[in-house]
Every structure is written in structure tokens, then in C-alpha cells.
Amino acid sequence: MHFTREFVHFITTKIFKLNLEILTAFVGATAVLAMSPGPDNIYVLTQSISNGKKYGFATIAGLISGCLIHITLLAFGVSAIIKENNTLFFTLKIFGAMYLLFLAFQVFRSSSNIKISESGSSKKGLIQLFKQGFVMNVLNPKVSIFFLAFFPGFLFSQELSTTTQFYVLGFLFMLVSALIFAVIVLLSDLISKYIRTNNNVGLFLKWLQIIVFVGIAVYLLLSDK
């Protein structure tokens, strides 16, 4: 009984130190971004509609696996910056905020129509789709830039190293994105029908994405190291 109390105290103390408010905000922002129309989730939806749900899951596996490369580069590269120079870290925060505002402006200028093409996807094998999703992600420099802008403002612990925190955030990002993409695959038929019959869906998601980008940018500017 005494051991149990000590164990519970240890677990709750560790969880408290992880600053759940920051992690919850990170998870919420990631979920909204994963739901917002973009190349990745539209590609997952298209593959699911044209080839079948298991092909959609293969695409998800490739896309999410590719994130590991970007996360590793971020964890070791940015951690060194944070340790060595406060001015560089402040500059990184400014860059991150400006980049997120730029993304918000790009979304604002873009059309709110969501285009889903069923005929444009040639039939591919599961392994081929996994590889294609992986390569699409790894060779996209915008993913690294986005992580560089997004992650530093959500460092959540004074106890853990920055490298560990970036990996925690990275795996949370991968998990939440994978879950949202999985829902898109499972509901692909309903989602495609709903998008085609409801023109306001794209407009709603467009402004939701803008609000999230601007909100994260403001959060970055106001956050401490």
C-alpha cells in the first residue's frame, strides 16, 4: 500500500512537471491542422476513395514515418541553438511566428474549394504507396520549416532535455496526425459526399486554419524559453 502511494505520487509529479496545459494546446493545434485541407490529407482521402481503405492506411504509414527524419533533424539541430545562445533562440521564435503568419496569409489568399480527384490516382501496391508517402514527406522542405516554426514554442518541461522534448512533441504530432488521417480513411466515402454537397465546409476549415496559424504565431511571440 505504501509502495502504491509512492508510485502514484511519482507518476503524478512527473505528469505535473510535463506541463499538461502546453501539451494539450499542442495536441489541439495539431488536430486542427491535420483536419484542415492540405496536400497530405487530400492525398490520403483520394487514395482511399480510388483504391480502397487499406491503400489509404499504407499512405498514412509512409507520410507519418517520413516525419521522423524531420523531427530528428529538428531535435538535434535546434537543441544546440537553444543551449548555446538565447539571442539565436529569440530570433528563431521571431522567424517561426513570421512564417506562421505567412502561412495564414497564404491560406487567406487561397480558394476555399476542396478539390477531390478520383480518376487521377493510378493503382499502386501497398508497399509502393508507403514508399511514395515516405518520400513525399522526407523530400518536402516545407515540413522541416513548419516543424522549426511550430515546435520551439511548445517546450514544456524544465526537467527534460530539449532533445527529448522535441521527440515527445514529434511523436505526439505523428500520433495525432495519424489518428485524424485514419478517421479520414474510415469515413472517406461520407467525407467525399459531404464535401461535394456542402460548399461551406471548405470556407469553415479555411478560416479555422487561419485562426490556428495566427494563434500559434501570437503564442510563440509571447512564450518564454
mmCIF file of all heavy atoms in Angstrom, residues 71-102:
data_model
loop_
_atom_site.group_PDB
_atom_site.id
_atom_site.type_symbol
_atom_site.label_atom_id
_atom_site.label_comp_id
_atom_site.label_asym_id
_atom_site.label_seq_id
_atom_site.Cartn_x
_atom_site.Cartn_y
_atom_site.Cartn_z
ATOM 1 N N ILE A 71 11.867 15.356 -37.604
ATOM 2 C CA ILE A 71 11.897 15.520 -36.150
ATOM 3 C C ILE A 71 13.312 15.339 -35.614
ATOM 4 O O ILE A 71 13.762 16.086 -34.737
ATOM 5 C CB ILE A 71 10.920 14.529 -35.478
ATOM 6 C CG1 ILE A 71 9.475 14.913 -35.796
ATOM 7 C CG2 ILE A 71 11.127 14.502 -33.963
ATOM 8 C CD1 ILE A 71 8.474 13.820 -35.499
ATOM 9 N N THR A 72 14.038 14.349 -36.143
ATOM 10 C CA THR A 72 15.407 14.104 -35.696
ATOM 11 C C THR A 72 16.312 15.287 -36.032
ATOM 12 O O THR A 72 17.118 15.730 -35.193
ATOM 13 C CB THR A 72 15.955 12.813 -36.351
ATOM 14 O OG1 THR A 72 15.149 11.707 -35.938
ATOM 15 C CG2 THR A 72 17.394 12.564 -35.947
ATOM 16 N N LEU A 73 16.193 15.810 -37.234
ATOM 17 C CA LEU A 73 16.987 16.979 -37.626
ATOM 18 C C LEU A 73 16.672 18.166 -36.717
ATOM 19 O O LEU A 73 17.572 18.900 -36.292
ATOM 20 C CB LEU A 73 16.701 17.346 -39.091
ATOM 21 C CG LEU A 73 17.174 16.348 -40.149
ATOM 22 C CD1 LEU A 73 16.674 16.758 -41.528
ATOM 23 C CD2 LEU A 73 18.700 16.252 -40.153
ATOM 24 N N LEU A 74 15.398 18.337 -36.432
ATOM 25 C CA LEU A 74 14.978 19.443 -35.561
ATOM 26 C C LEU A 74 15.496 19.246 -34.144
ATOM 27 O O LEU A 74 16.052 20.175 -33.540
ATOM 28 C CB LEU A 74 13.449 19.524 -35.545
ATOM 29 C CG LEU A 74 12.831 20.570 -34.615
ATOM 30 C CD1 LEU A 74 13.031 21.959 -35.185
ATOM 31 C CD2 LEU A 74 11.347 20.301 -34.410
ATOM 32 N N ALA A 75 15.332 18.037 -33.604
ATOM 33 C CA ALA A 75 15.680 17.776 -32.206
ATOM 34 C C ALA A 75 17.147 18.059 -31.928
ATOM 35 O O ALA A 75 17.491 18.707 -30.937
ATOM 36 C CB ALA A 75 15.340 16.332 -31.844
ATOM 37 N N PHE A 76 18.016 17.599 -32.801
ATOM 38 C CA PHE A 76 19.448 17.770 -32.551
ATOM 39 C C PHE A 76 19.956 19.144 -32.999
ATOM 40 O O PHE A 76 20.796 19.746 -32.339
ATOM 41 C CB PHE A 76 20.231 16.656 -33.244
ATOM 42 C CG PHE A 76 20.077 15.326 -32.555
ATOM 43 C CD1 PHE A 76 19.154 14.403 -33.011
ATOM 44 C CD2 PHE A 76 20.820 15.026 -31.425
ATOM 45 C CE1 PHE A 76 18.987 13.189 -32.372
ATOM 46 C CE2 PHE A 76 20.655 13.813 -30.771
ATOM 47 C CZ PHE A 76 19.741 12.888 -31.251
ATOM 48 N N GLY A 77 19.419 19.667 -34.089
ATOM 49 C CA GLY A 77 19.866 20.974 -34.567
ATOM 50 C C GLY A 77 19.412 22.124 -33.697
ATOM 51 O O GLY A 77 20.213 22.944 -33.241
ATOM 52 N N VAL A 78 18.124 22.201 -33.410
ATOM 53 C CA VAL A 78 17.579 23.318 -32.651
ATOM 54 C C VAL A 78 17.955 23.226 -31.177
ATOM 55 O O VAL A 78 18.148 24.255 -30.515
ATOM 56 C CB VAL A 78 16.046 23.400 -32.818
ATOM 57 C CG1 VAL A 78 15.463 24.521 -31.977
ATOM 58 C CG2 VAL A 78 15.697 23.611 -34.280
ATOM 59 N N SER A 79 18.096 22.018 -30.661
ATOM 60 C CA SER A 79 18.502 21.861 -29.258
ATOM 61 C C SER A 79 19.847 22.525 -29.014
ATOM 62 O O SER A 79 20.069 23.170 -27.987
ATOM 63 C CB SER A 79 18.585 20.378 -28.889
ATOM 64 O OG SER A 79 17.315 19.788 -28.903
ATOM 65 N N ALA A 80 20.765 22.389 -29.971
ATOM 66 C CA ALA A 80 22.082 23.026 -29.843
ATOM 67 C C ALA A 80 21.957 24.543 -29.827
ATOM 68 O O ALA A 80 22.633 25.230 -29.043
ATOM 69 C CB ALA A 80 22.982 22.581 -30.990
ATOM 70 N N ILE A 81 21.057 25.069 -30.662
ATOM 71 C CA ILE A 81 20.845 26.523 -30.707
ATOM 72 C C ILE A 81 20.311 27.031 -29.371
ATOM 73 O O ILE A 81 20.763 28.044 -28.835
ATOM 74 C CB ILE A 81 19.863 26.889 -31.848
ATOM 75 C CG1 ILE A 81 20.512 26.620 -33.206
ATOM 76 C CG2 ILE A 81 19.425 28.352 -31.755
ATOM 77 C CD1 ILE A 81 19.574 26.822 -34.382
ATOM 78 N N ILE A 82 19.339 26.314 -28.824
ATOM 79 C CA ILE A 82 18.719 26.728 -27.564
ATOM 80 C C ILE A 82 19.727 26.711 -26.421
ATOM 81 O O ILE A 82 19.746 27.603 -25.567
ATOM 82 C CB ILE A 82 17.515 25.821 -27.245
ATOM 83 C CG1 ILE A 82 16.409 26.045 -28.276
ATOM 84 C CG2 ILE A 82 16.979 26.079 -25.839
ATOM 85 C CD1 ILE A 82 15.262 25.080 -28.173
ATOM 86 N N LYS A 83 20.592 25.704 -26.395
ATOM 87 C CA LYS A 83 21.570 25.578 -25.315
ATOM 88 C C LYS A 83 22.614 26.689 -25.377
ATOM 89 O O LYS A 83 23.050 27.212 -24.349
ATOM 90 C CB LYS A 83 22.278 24.224 -25.392
ATOM 91 C CG LYS A 83 21.437 23.050 -24.930
ATOM 92 C CD LYS A 83 22.239 21.759 -25.070
ATOM 93 C CE LYS A 83 21.401 20.552 -24.666
ATOM 94 N NZ LYS A 83 22.135 19.285 -24.865
ATOM 95 N N GLU A 84 23.034 27.062 -26.564
ATOM 96 C CA GLU A 84 24.216 27.910 -26.712
ATOM 97 C C GLU A 84 23.923 29.403 -26.764
ATOM 98 O O GLU A 84 24.761 30.210 -26.388
ATOM 99 C CB GLU A 84 24.987 27.499 -27.972
ATOM 100 C CG GLU A 84 25.603 26.107 -27.870
ATOM 101 C CD GLU A 84 26.300 25.692 -29.157
ATOM 102 O OE1 GLU A 84 26.431 26.550 -30.048
ATOM 103 O OE2 GLU A 84 26.704 24.523 -29.253
ATOM 104 N N ASN A 85 22.748 29.799 -27.237
ATOM 105 C CA ASN A 85 22.573 31.225 -27.497
ATOM 106 C C ASN A 85 21.105 31.638 -27.354
ATOM 107 O O ASN A 85 20.257 31.225 -28.138
ATOM 108 C CB ASN A 85 23.077 31.534 -28.922
ATOM 109 C CG ASN A 85 23.297 33.010 -29.129
ATOM 110 O OD1 ASN A 85 22.419 33.812 -28.846
ATOM 111 N ND2 ASN A 85 24.473 33.379 -29.631
ATOM 112 N N ASN A 86 20.835 32.476 -26.353
ATOM 113 C CA ASN A 86 19.471 32.967 -26.148
ATOM 114 C C ASN A 86 19.015 33.864 -27.287
ATOM 115 O O ASN A 86 17.844 33.864 -27.662
ATOM 116 C CB ASN A 86 19.379 33.736 -24.827
ATOM 117 C CG ASN A 86 19.446 32.817 -23.626
ATOM 118 O OD1 ASN A 86 19.057 31.654 -23.712
ATOM 119 N ND2 ASN A 86 19.946 33.316 -22.512
ATOM 120 N N THR A 87 19.954 34.651 -27.838
ATOM 121 C CA THR A 87 19.602 35.563 -28.926
ATOM 122 C C THR A 87 19.182 34.795 -30.164
ATOM 123 O O THR A 87 18.206 35.151 -30.837
ATOM 124 C CB THR A 87 20.799 36.473 -29.277
ATOM 125 O OG1 THR A 87 21.193 37.186 -28.108
ATOM 126 C CG2 THR A 87 20.426 37.467 -30.359
ATOM 127 N N LEU A 88 19.905 33.707 -30.459
ATOM 128 C CA LEU A 88 19.546 32.881 -31.603
ATOM 129 C C LEU A 88 18.176 32.238 -31.408
ATOM 130 O O LEU A 88 17.391 32.134 -32.348
ATOM 131 C CB LEU A 88 20.604 31.787 -31.820
ATOM 132 C CG LEU A 88 21.868 32.194 -32.563
ATOM 133 C CD1 LEU A 88 22.852 31.037 -32.614
ATOM 134 C CD2 LEU A 88 21.548 32.674 -33.970
ATOM 135 N N PHE A 89 17.901 31.820 -30.179
ATOM 136 C CA PHE A 89 16.594 31.215 -29.912
ATOM 137 C C PHE A 89 15.476 32.240 -30.068
ATOM 138 O O PHE A 89 14.408 31.933 -30.611
ATOM 139 C CB PHE A 89 16.562 30.609 -28.513
ATOM 140 C CG PHE A 89 15.258 29.922 -28.194
ATOM 141 C CD1 PHE A 89 14.837 28.834 -28.937
ATOM 142 C CD2 PHE A 89 14.443 30.371 -27.165
ATOM 143 C CE1 PHE A 89 13.630 28.199 -28.659
ATOM 144 C CE2 PHE A 89 13.245 29.742 -26.881
ATOM 145 C CZ PHE A 89 12.837 28.647 -27.624
ATOM 146 N N PHE A 90 15.721 33.470 -29.602
ATOM 147 C CA PHE A 90 14.731 34.538 -29.777
ATOM 148 C C PHE A 90 14.503 34.805 -31.270
ATOM 149 O O PHE A 90 13.364 34.976 -31.720
ATOM 150 C CB PHE A 90 15.207 35.810 -29.074
ATOM 151 C CG PHE A 90 14.278 36.983 -29.263
ATOM 152 C CD1 PHE A 90 13.086 37.066 -28.571
ATOM 153 C CD2 PHE A 90 14.602 37.995 -30.165
ATOM 154 C CE1 PHE A 90 12.224 38.138 -28.758
ATOM 155 C CE2 PHE A 90 13.741 39.072 -30.352
ATOM 156 C CZ PHE A 90 12.556 39.142 -29.652
ATOM 157 N N THR A 91 15.605 34.823 -32.037
ATOM 158 C CA THR A 91 15.497 35.006 -33.491
ATOM 159 C C THR A 91 14.693 33.880 -34.121
ATOM 160 O O THR A 91 13.875 34.101 -35.020
ATOM 161 C CB THR A 91 16.903 35.061 -34.129
ATOM 162 O OG1 THR A 91 17.664 36.098 -33.507
ATOM 163 C CG2 THR A 91 16.820 35.318 -35.628
ATOM 164 N N LEU A 92 14.896 32.665 -33.628
ATOM 165 C CA LEU A 92 14.151 31.502 -34.120
ATOM 166 C C LEU A 92 12.661 31.662 -33.843
ATOM 167 O O LEU A 92 11.819 31.347 -34.686
ATOM 168 C CB LEU A 92 14.686 30.241 -33.451
ATOM 169 C CG LEU A 92 14.021 28.914 -33.836
ATOM 170 C CD1 LEU A 92 14.239 28.618 -35.312
ATOM 171 C CD2 LEU A 92 14.581 27.780 -32.985
ATOM 172 N N LYS A 93 12.323 32.171 -32.665
ATOM 173 C CA LYS A 93 10.907 32.389 -32.335
ATOM 174 C C LYS A 93 10.275 33.422 -33.270
ATOM 175 O O LYS A 93 9.143 33.248 -33.730
ATOM 176 C CB LYS A 93 10.770 32.864 -30.886
ATOM 177 C CG LYS A 93 10.964 31.801 -29.859
ATOM 178 C CD LYS A 93 10.232 32.116 -28.549
ATOM 179 C CE LYS A 93 10.388 33.543 -28.112
ATOM 180 N NZ LYS A 93 9.606 33.826 -26.896
ATOM 181 N N ILE A 94 11.011 34.499 -33.542
ATOM 182 C CA ILE A 94 10.502 35.532 -34.453
ATOM 183 C C ILE A 94 10.288 34.944 -35.845
ATOM 184 O O ILE A 94 9.257 35.173 -36.489
ATOM 185 C CB ILE A 94 11.474 36.729 -34.516
ATOM 186 C CG1 ILE A 94 11.610 37.392 -33.142
ATOM 187 C CG2 ILE A 94 11.016 37.745 -35.570
ATOM 188 C CD1 ILE A 94 10.325 37.986 -32.618
ATOM 189 N N PHE A 95 11.291 34.174 -36.296
ATOM 190 C CA PHE A 95 11.156 33.520 -37.606
ATOM 191 C C PHE A 95 9.918 32.619 -37.625
ATOM 192 O O PHE A 95 9.146 32.618 -38.589
ATOM 193 C CB PHE A 95 12.406 32.689 -37.906
ATOM 194 C CG PHE A 95 12.180 31.627 -38.946
ATOM 195 C CD1 PHE A 95 12.134 31.952 -40.294
ATOM 196 C CD2 PHE A 95 11.982 30.298 -38.573
ATOM 197 C CE1 PHE A 95 11.897 30.968 -41.250
ATOM 198 C CE2 PHE A 95 11.749 29.318 -39.521
ATOM 199 C CZ PHE A 95 11.711 29.653 -40.869
ATOM 200 N N GLY A 96 9.741 31.832 -36.577
ATOM 201 C CA GLY A 96 8.612 30.922 -36.500
ATOM 202 C C GLY A 96 7.290 31.656 -36.576
ATOM 203 O O GLY A 96 6.378 31.256 -37.313
ATOM 204 N N ALA A 97 7.170 32.726 -35.822
ATOM 205 C CA ALA A 97 5.928 33.500 -35.810
ATOM 206 C C ALA A 97 5.658 34.118 -37.179
ATOM 207 O O ALA A 97 4.525 34.085 -37.681
ATOM 208 C CB ALA A 97 6.007 34.587 -34.739
ATOM 209 N N MET A 98 6.714 34.686 -37.799
ATOM 210 C CA MET A 98 6.546 35.312 -39.114
ATOM 211 C C MET A 98 6.164 34.270 -40.169
ATOM 212 O O MET A 98 5.321 34.524 -41.039
ATOM 213 C CB MET A 98 7.841 36.020 -39.534
ATOM 214 C CG MET A 98 8.216 37.229 -38.687
ATOM 215 S SD MET A 98 6.924 38.516 -38.659
ATOM 216 C CE MET A 98 6.210 38.265 -37.021
ATOM 217 N N TYR A 99 6.763 33.083 -40.080
ATOM 218 C CA TYR A 99 6.449 32.031 -41.057
ATOM 219 C C TYR A 99 5.001 31.565 -40.900
ATOM 220 O O TYR A 99 4.296 31.352 -41.889
ATOM 221 C CB TYR A 99 7.402 30.853 -40.885
ATOM 222 C CG TYR A 99 7.147 29.732 -41.873
ATOM 223 C CD1 TYR A 99 7.429 29.904 -43.225
ATOM 224 C CD2 TYR A 99 6.613 28.522 -41.457
ATOM 225 C CE1 TYR A 99 7.182 28.886 -44.139
ATOM 226 C CE2 TYR A 99 6.364 27.503 -42.355
ATOM 227 C CZ TYR A 99 6.656 27.686 -43.701
ATOM 228 O OH TYR A 99 6.405 26.683 -44.599
ATOM 229 N N LEU A 100 4.532 31.424 -39.670
ATOM 230 C CA LEU A 100 3.156 31.002 -39.440
ATOM 231 C C LEU A 100 2.159 32.066 -39.916
ATOM 232 O O LEU A 100 1.097 31.739 -40.464
ATOM 233 C CB LEU A 100 2.945 30.691 -37.958
ATOM 234 C CG LEU A 100 3.656 29.423 -37.476
ATOM 235 C CD1 LEU A 100 3.680 29.380 -35.952
ATOM 236 C CD2 LEU A 100 2.983 28.174 -38.031
ATOM 237 N N LEU A 101 2.506 33.338 -39.720
ATOM 238 C CA LEU A 101 1.653 34.415 -40.243
ATOM 239 C C LEU A 101 1.636 34.399 -41.777
ATOM 240 O O LEU A 101 0.606 34.660 -42.401
ATOM 241 C CB LEU A 101 2.139 35.772 -39.723
ATOM 242 C CG LEU A 101 1.918 36.021 -38.231
ATOM 243 C CD1 LEU A 101 2.576 37.340 -37.809
ATOM 244 C CD2 LEU A 101 0.431 36.041 -37.884
ATOM 245 N N PHE A 102 2.797 34.074 -42.356
ATOM 246 C CA PHE A 102 2.870 33.940 -43.819
ATOM 247 C C PHE A 102 1.976 32.802 -44.304
ATOM 248 O O PHE A 102 1.262 32.935 -45.307
ATOM 249 C CB PHE A 102 4.323 33.703 -44.240
ATOM 250 C CG PHE A 102 4.489 33.314 -45.678
ATOM 251 C CD1 PHE A 102 4.286 34.237 -46.693
ATOM 252 C CD2 PHE A 102 4.840 32.008 -46.021
ATOM 253 C CE1 PHE A 102 4.431 33.870 -48.033
ATOM 254 C CE2 PHE A 102 4.984 31.630 -47.344
ATOM 255 C CZ PHE A 102 4.784 32.565 -48.364
#
